[in-house]
Amino acid sequence: CPTAADLRPPNGTRVCAQLYADNSPYYDQCCAGDVLAVPPGSDVPYMPRGWSARASSLVVGTRCELTVWSRKAKKGKSRRFSA
């Protein structure tokens, strides 16, 4: 997986978090498959199409925090992740 400081795509824009579709019990094979990039300041009450219950691993950038909910529309239990 990339480090928190490495979350900067080739075009140089900042990314606060990346969610990955594939995971593995072997660390060097984690953070694979499709990637969902979360830009700074995002407020998304619903997962994008095709991502519901699909994210298996994530990396949160420095000076960022990602809050996720167990149910749609920011309902249910929440959990916060940071670098």
Side-chain angles (χ1 to χ4, degrees):
C1 294
T3 67
D6 290 337
L7 290 187
R8 197 173 283 274
N11 68 6
T13 60
R14 186 164 180 241
V15 174
C16 271
Q18 287 187 169
L19 285 71
Y20 298 88
D22 297 341
N23 196 5
S24 170
Y26 303 104
Y27 184 77
D28 62 337
Q29 296 174 15
C30 287
C31 300
D34 293 334
V35 177
L36 177 61
V38 180
S42 294
D43 184 9
V44 183
Y46 298 93
M47 288 297 282
R49 186 174 193 84
W51 277 92
S52 181
R54 187 168 174 218
S56 63
S57 52
L58 61 90
V59 176
V60 178
T62 55
R63 299 188 323 265
C64 289
E65 185 175 83
L66 177 70
T67 304
V68 297
W69 287 266
S70 61
R71 302 175 83 35
K72 64 182 178 180
K74 297 182 181 180
K75 294 185 179 172
K77 295 181 181 180
S78 66
R79 181 156 182 196
R80 293 178 186 217
F81 297 91
S82 62

